[in-house]
Amino acid sequence: MFGYNESYFLLDLKSNFSGPPPSSMAAGPDAYLQGNIRMTLEDPELWKTFHEIGTEMIITKPGRRMFPHCKINLSGLIPCAKYILLVDMVPEDGFRYKWNKEKWEVAGKAEPQPPCRTYLHPDSPAPGSHWMKQSISFLKLKLTNNTLDQHGHIILHSMHRYHPRFHIVQADDLFSVRWSVFQTFTFPETSFTAVTAYQNTKITKLKIDHNPFAKGFRDEGTNKKRRSSKNPACLDKRTKMSDILKKDSEEDSPPDFCQSSFDGYDGEEGDLPKRKDDESVKEERYSPWGAEREQNARTDSPAGADTRDVYSTEQLVPAPASYQPYRFHEYGKSPSPSSSIGSSNSGSGRSSFESRVPDVATVPDHDSSKPRTQEIGPSNCGPQHLPGAQDYTGVLNMTMAQAGKPGVIGHHIYSPYGAEQPLGQWSGPGPAQYPPPHHLTADYTTQAVHHGYHHGNVAEWSQYPLFSYSCW
DNA sequence: TCCACTCACACTTTTGAAAAGA
DNA sequence: ATCTTTTCAAAAGTGTGAGTGG
């Protein structure tokens, strides 16, 4: 209806690679001849509906799922080659926001980034055919504001804006990632503001309308008792909310809703009631991001004028050693020398980075790293070399793979399968905990940012790494 | 006083084990 | 004995509103 199903971006690997790979990389130009990978966001209309109002995602201490949740489709993968799918959250900008008079306003500089964590899709690694045969859901991804979170949820700051990045890595296992090509996709309409409580009642309404778990709050719901049991003020608020709901149900079609609000902010908020529960449907036209959105959308926000564009990036990054000092502490996994270094040097990204280099060099010969150049290419079909986990222990000091995931080394990664399974998430300190990026990392990140992101945002965006610098 | 945040609550869907049936 | 379907209770996910603390 919106043409949103065409929301994809053909990734021309060769042309997107704007510079020679670092000498430390094994992958040569051939590595980029693996065809065009296409990623599409599922349910784009829903995402767009939220986006037009200003998506908010609740973050809680125990972790909260996203809604809408990230669901994508992939094509163009090599069916028999294995891939790993990752998601992380990137700050949209360097600001903290507040909800004031029915719109978001900048409330100051962003707080230092929390530990940067990456969510690994539980199916990873899986062959391209697996990823392509069905849509890929990140339903179990959870967001938290608990910087000491021990469940591997992605840590965000409340009242800050983020957007998810999807990474596809052709790799047999998590160790191979180190030498593999990352292809990164973002969807402008998936950007959101992390909040501990909904600020915009329109978002609340949308969530209630679309999230099955919130059915109980729908107007037609059966919980009349609940709605009327509270105090009069509450009742009043509920009534007003019901009016909004009714009005919406009269419109009844998200497309109409979208259309009415897609023109963006038209400066009418001055006439809006102060209370957020006094909204009218008419106000749906207004964009919550007001002036700075108009500014950023063209200058430093991935959400450009044409939201159908899926900005993509590609970067060659050494894989994460993916450790996080407090993580090691939590799980009592034998902290590697390098992890201790990383831990002790948490304030010095550069030294940490350098300390990691020997790790790379000491990978055994049969490690997939060396033939990675060939493996990445189209000739990758055929028996997959799955190096035994023991090949790496003592080299990278990783924990062993979990049962049922023989090819996966537990990089202190957390899995949505269970909080206790260190499979599903990589984590590392955020950039704010590091000095300005090492020149090498800067190369990578700048390269990545060039793909679809305006230079105005390069500074902030590019400094938010997929993995901690110290991992490199 | 304001505002971001936490918590208990009622309600919902999801999950998984046990029971029933073929 | 095996497999499939159904049932049901527990677990998990949801927004609400009162309360808390800076």
Side-chain angles (χ1 to χ4, degrees):
Chain A
M1 194 168 294
F2 292 92
Y4 240 73
N5 286 328
E6 298 164 11
S7 174
Y8 60 81
F9 189 94
L10 285 179
L11 192 66
D12 184 336
L13 294 176
K14 203 168 187 177
S15 61
N16 276 352
F17 187 66
S18 58
S23 56
S24 60
M25 298 296 179
D30 289 347
Y32 303 97
L33 294 173
Q34 52 181 350
N36 291 326
I37 294 178
R38 194 177 97 173
M39 178 184 289
T40 58
L41 180 66
E42 209 160 90
D43 233 348
E45 289 88 358
L46 182 60
W47 275 104
K48 189 182 166 190
T49 303
F50 277 90
H51 181 64
E52 286 161 355
I53 299 173
T55 311
E56 296 173 22
M57 295 289 178
I58 293 283
I59 56 176
T60 64
K61 279 183 85 171
R64 194 81 148 191
R65 284 186 182 177
M66 296 175 72
F67 188 88
H69 70 270
C70 298
K71 204 172 178 183
I72 58 168
N73 287 293
L74 274 173
S75 63
L77 303 178
I78 302 168
C80 52
K82 285 192 174 179
Y83 295 87
I84 285 169
L85 257 63
L86 306 153
V87 175
D88 62 1
M89 298 292 168
V90 188
E92 285 269 307
D93 47 44
F95 302 113
R96 176 190 177 89
Y97 291 86
K98 65 176 178 182
W99 179 252
N100 187 29
K101 297 178 181 175
E102 305 301 322
K103 69 169 189 172
W104 286 101
E105 293 177 347
V106 172
K109 287 181 67 177
E111 292 177 32
Q113 288 305 320
C116 173
R117 290 182 172 178
T118 302
Y119 177 88
L120 174 73
H121 191 282
D123 290 355
S124 302
S129 57
H130 172 81
W131 296 119
M132 293 188 291
K133 75 182 176 190
Q134 74 227 335
S135 55
I136 305 155
S137 171
F138 292 90
L139 176 70
K140 298 196 174 181
L141 186 158
K142 282 187 177 180
L143 309 176
T144 182
N145 59 347
N146 181 10
T147 54
L148 301 177
D149 172 72
Q150 300 185 5
H151 299 91
H153 305 323
I154 292 182
I155 303 170
L156 304 178
H157 281 312
S158 181
M159 313 307 266
H160 288 59
R161 297 179 62 195
Y162 299 89
H163 69 263
R165 287 192 306 187
F166 302 89
H167 309 277
I168 308 169
V169 194
Q170 185 181 338
D172 287 344
D173 53 62
L174 294 181
F175 275 110
S176 305
V177 169
R178 180 182 290 261
W179 297 274
S180 299
V181 177
F182 275 67
Q183 295 173 64
T184 302
F185 298 80
T186 63
F187 300 87
E189 61 267 41
T190 57
S191 64
F192 63 88
T193 307
V195 296
T196 54
Y198 289 124
Q199 307 295 306
N200 187 346
T201 52
K202 294 171 189 165
I203 287 297
T204 309
K205 185 189 80 63
L206 271 181
K207 299 254 183 177
I208 291 172
D209 284 350
H210 292 92
N211 192 332
F213 284 105
K215 258 184 183 171
F217 299 100
R218 293 178 189 171
D219 216 19
E220 68 275 19
T222 56
N223 60 336
K224 309 277 189 199
K225 183 185 77 178
R226 178 186 188 147
R227 291 172 182 275
S228 58
S229 64
K230 302 293 180 179
N231 60 40
C234 165
L235 179 62
D236 183 49
K237 186 168 184 175
R238 296 303 310 178
T239 304
K240 287 173 179 172
M241 177 63 93
S242 297
D243 290 339
I244 297 174
L245 284 164
K246 262 182 211 158
K247 224 163 189 176
D248 185 65
S249 60
E250 285 169 9
E251 296 177 3
D252 200 33
S253 67
D256 289 347
F257 183 83
C258 296
Q259 216 158 4
S260 69
S261 58
F262 193 48
D263 293 341
Y265 176 59
D266 54 14
E268 290 181 1
E269 83 284 9
D271 298 325
L272 300 181
K274 303 273 185 202
R275 291 187 57 81
K276 52 186 176 185
D277 45 292
D278 283 339
E279 294 164 355
S280 67
V281 175
K282 171 171 169 277
E283 294 159 18
E284 286 165 358
R285 290 179 60 84
Y286 112 110
S287 164
W289 297 111
E292 90 258 354
R293 183 180 192 84
E294 296 188 357
Q295 208 173 354
N296 293 345
R298 300 194 214 359
T299 58
D300 60 355
S301 167
D306 183 1
T307 57
R308 286 178 303 169
D309 286 346
V310 178
Y311 298 105
S312 69
T313 62
E314 174 210 354
Q315 45 186 191
L316 271 173
V317 292
S322 48
Y323 59 89
Q324 192 172 8
Y326 68 82
R327 275 285 167 83
F328 280 101
H329 178 70
E330 292 163 14
Y331 280 82
K333 305 288 184 187
S334 60
S336 67
S338 48
S339 70
S340 333
I341 292 169
S343 179
S344 60
N345 289 349
S346 61
S348 170
R350 179 165 188 154
S351 59
S352 294
F353 166 78
E354 289 167 349
S355 75
R356 305 289 309 174
V357 173
D359 278 352
V360 180
T362 55
V363 170
D365 285 347
H366 59 280
D367 177 16
S368 53
S369 63
K370 290 196 174 174
R372 181 55 47 192
T373 307
Q374 288 81 26
E375 289 184 14
I376 287 176
S379 61
N380 198 25
C381 293
Q384 299 290 314
H385 172 54
L386 292 175
Q390 68 275 17
D391 293 343
Y392 302 96
T393 52
V395 177
L396 295 177
N397 294 288
M398 299 301 172
T399 55
M400 300 297 291
Q402 299 300 300
K405 294 270 184 177
V408 181
I409 309 302
H411 285 234
H412 295 276
I413 287 172
Y414 289 74
S415 165
Y417 286 143
E420 303 311 312
Q421 289 183 326
L423 258 179
Q425 222 170 341
W426 287 341
S427 55
Q433 299 168 359
Y434 293 89
H438 188 279
H439 67 278
L440 186 57
T441 59
D443 285 345
Y444 297 145
T445 51
T446 300
Q447 174 190 330
V449 168
H450 278 173
H451 300 293
Y453 286 87
H454 297 281
H455 288 276
N457 197 33
V458 164
E460 300 91 350
W461 195 88
S462 65
Q463 288 177 31
Y464 199 83
L466 176 55
F467 305 110
S468 66
Y469 294 122
S470 59
C471 296
W472 300 4

